[in-house]
């Protein structure tokens, strides 16, 4: 316990905040040391303030902790943020300016040019963008974001394909769980026996975030992937787990027709974090299921402790090239687990303050990021990115 990094949770009483608490219990690197939420909760014990909704017991130590005001003073240096976007827009920069590393779930800054939107398996090198944030040079603080819960599953399935074959067009329809709307979320009278074909701003987020995540870091900014994408998002009466029907038109990187076996091999061999020792990283991040009626939320959402994405039903698409189904756990891989994995990556890069203070140009940090990311990439491809112009 003594040597673990103390962390704080902003929005600790909400759906995602509760997942943080659940996933961080017994975490080998991080220890929950500070909890904050709205004025409604501040000053109460966590046990009184939060309506615990998860199927594991609320840890006693956490239940006894007092919920603090959501202010940087007295907060630990590493903050997991699970706030509504409107609140995050004001609060997250305040914590970053005060010197905190803010590892955020909210959409408020995902598309900001100098804020990394990161999935460690996909685009760890984008973390360099923290050196472009003014707070980094001033106080050492910065913001890092993870994508929207429906974007993560999609991008995990697309990345191995994009890397090997290229992707020109993406067509995706989601069936999203009610927990994605927070608690109490969608009224039961609206969702039971029903499908709601609208989730505010979700389609725009999926489209923009997917292209940024699959984009290339060019110097000081990310150039989004030049593909066309169309998303349609639906809320369905499922508790946890977002399902997505995906069709894609491939590029021509391979120089020949891409087969069913090529695509399965791309998913099976996609293990970019192997050997990096990040505790929350699943061994097999994209898992193939051969059964015709899978993946299903109830049966497949907890693969890899909720951190693996399941793909199935791969078949030719008569309109584009190929179509398949993706499933991911929206509050684990799609939210708290994603942020924890980002924090593990940051810790492994010494971005939590154990390195020399940032110089104005960020050159020192950029060099270190490139070296460690190079090692991650080398673990997958047997070579590095050095000299290849990847970073
Ligand atoms: N649920 C998902 O699957 C999911 C997935 C990916 C991303 N996200 C994103 O994660 C964020 C949190 O989502 P959620 O589902 O956990 O929402 P939620 O259940 O509604 O929880 C919101 C949290 O924010 C706190 N809060 C509200 N107003 C505040 C204020 N003025 N100051 C400080 N804290 C305040 C609440 O505290 P009180 O209890 O005191 O009101 C609560 O802890 C959102 O941006 C959401 O879009 C959610």
């Amino acid at each position: 316990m003594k040597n673990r990094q103390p962390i704080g949770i902003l929005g600790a009483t909400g759906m995602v905040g509760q997942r943080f608490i659940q996933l961080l219990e017994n975490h080998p690197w991080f220890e929950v040391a500070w909890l904050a939420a709205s004025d409604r909760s501040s000053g109460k014990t966590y046990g009184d303030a939060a309506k615990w909704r998860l199927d594991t017991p609320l840890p006693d130590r956490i239940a006894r902790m007092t919920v603090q005001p959501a202010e940087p003073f007295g907060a630990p240096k590493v903050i997991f943020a699970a706030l509504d976007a409107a609140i995050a827009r004001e609060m997250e920069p305040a914590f970053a300016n005060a010197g905190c590393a803010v590892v955020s779930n909210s959409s408020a800054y995902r598309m900001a040019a100098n804020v990394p939107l990161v999935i460690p398996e996909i685009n760890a090198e984008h973390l360099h963008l923290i050196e472009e944030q003014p707070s980094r040079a001033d106080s050492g603080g910065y913001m890092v974001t993870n994508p929207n819960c429906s974007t993560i599953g999609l991008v995990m399935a697309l990345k191995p394909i994009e890397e090997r074959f290229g992707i020109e067009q993406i067509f995706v329809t989601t069936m999203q769980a009610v927990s994605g709307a927070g608690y109490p979320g969608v009224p039961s009278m609206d969702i039971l026996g029903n499908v709601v074909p609208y989730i505010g701003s979700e389609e725009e987020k999926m489209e923009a975030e997917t292209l940024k995540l699959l984009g290339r870091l060019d110097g000081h900014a990310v150039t989004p992937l030049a593909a066309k994408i169309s998303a349609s998002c639906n809320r369905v009466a499922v508790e946890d787990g977002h399902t997505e029907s995906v069709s894609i038109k491939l590029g021509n990187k391979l120089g020949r027709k891409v087969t069913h076996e090529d695509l399965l091999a791309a998913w099976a061999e996609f293990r970019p974090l192997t050997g990096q020792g990040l505790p929350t990283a699943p061994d097999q991040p994209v898992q193939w299921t051969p059964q015709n009626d899978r993946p299903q939320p109830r049966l497949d959402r907890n693969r890899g402790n909720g951190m693996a994405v399941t793909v199935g039903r791969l078949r030719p698409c008569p309109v584009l090239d190929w179509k398949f189904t993706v499933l991911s756990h929206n509050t684990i891989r799609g939210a708290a687990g994603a942020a924890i994995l980002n924090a593990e990556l940051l810790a492994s890069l010494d971005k939590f303050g154990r390195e020399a203070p940032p110089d104005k140009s960020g050159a020192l940090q950029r060099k270190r990021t490139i070296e460690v990311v190079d090692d991650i990439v080398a673990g997958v491809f047997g070579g590095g990115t050095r000299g290849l112009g990847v970073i």
Side-chain angles (χ1 to χ4, degrees), residues 287-304:
Q287 301 194 6
W288 164 250
T289 174
Q291 296 96 321
N292 277 339
D293 61 353
R294 302 278 284 273
Q296 294 180 20
R298 265 215 305 255
L299 302 180
D300 296 301
R301 65 188 166 211
N302 288 324
R303 286 182 184 229

Side-chain angles (χ1 to χ4, degrees), residues 11 13-16 37-38 40-41 82-83 87 106 179-180 182-183 330-331 334-335:
T13 49
M15 279 310 306
V16 176
S38 77
R40 291 180 290 279
S41 306
L83 298 167
I87 298 155
S106 113
S179 60
Y183 185 82
N330 54 296
T331 59

Side-chain angles (χ1 to χ4, degrees), residues 24-91:
L24 288 168
E25 206 199 351
N26 304 320
H27 191 283
W29 297 1
F30 306 137
E31 180 186 10
V32 177
W34 182 88
L35 302 168
S38 77
D39 291 346
R40 291 180 290 279
S41 306
S42 137
K44 297 180 184 166
T45 63
Y46 185 83
D48 286 340
K51 193 171 166 112
W52 187 253
R53 306 301 310 164
L54 301 182
D55 58 7
T56 54
L58 169 61
D60 282 345
R61 183 181 75 86
I62 301 289
R64 288 194 302 271
M65 284 173 70
T66 301
V67 178
Q68 303 295 322
E71 296 161 3
F73 182 73
K77 192 169 169 51
V78 179
I79 297 290
F80 290 114
L83 298 167
D84 194 58
I87 298 155
R89 190 161 291 283
E90 289 187 14
M91 217 167 259

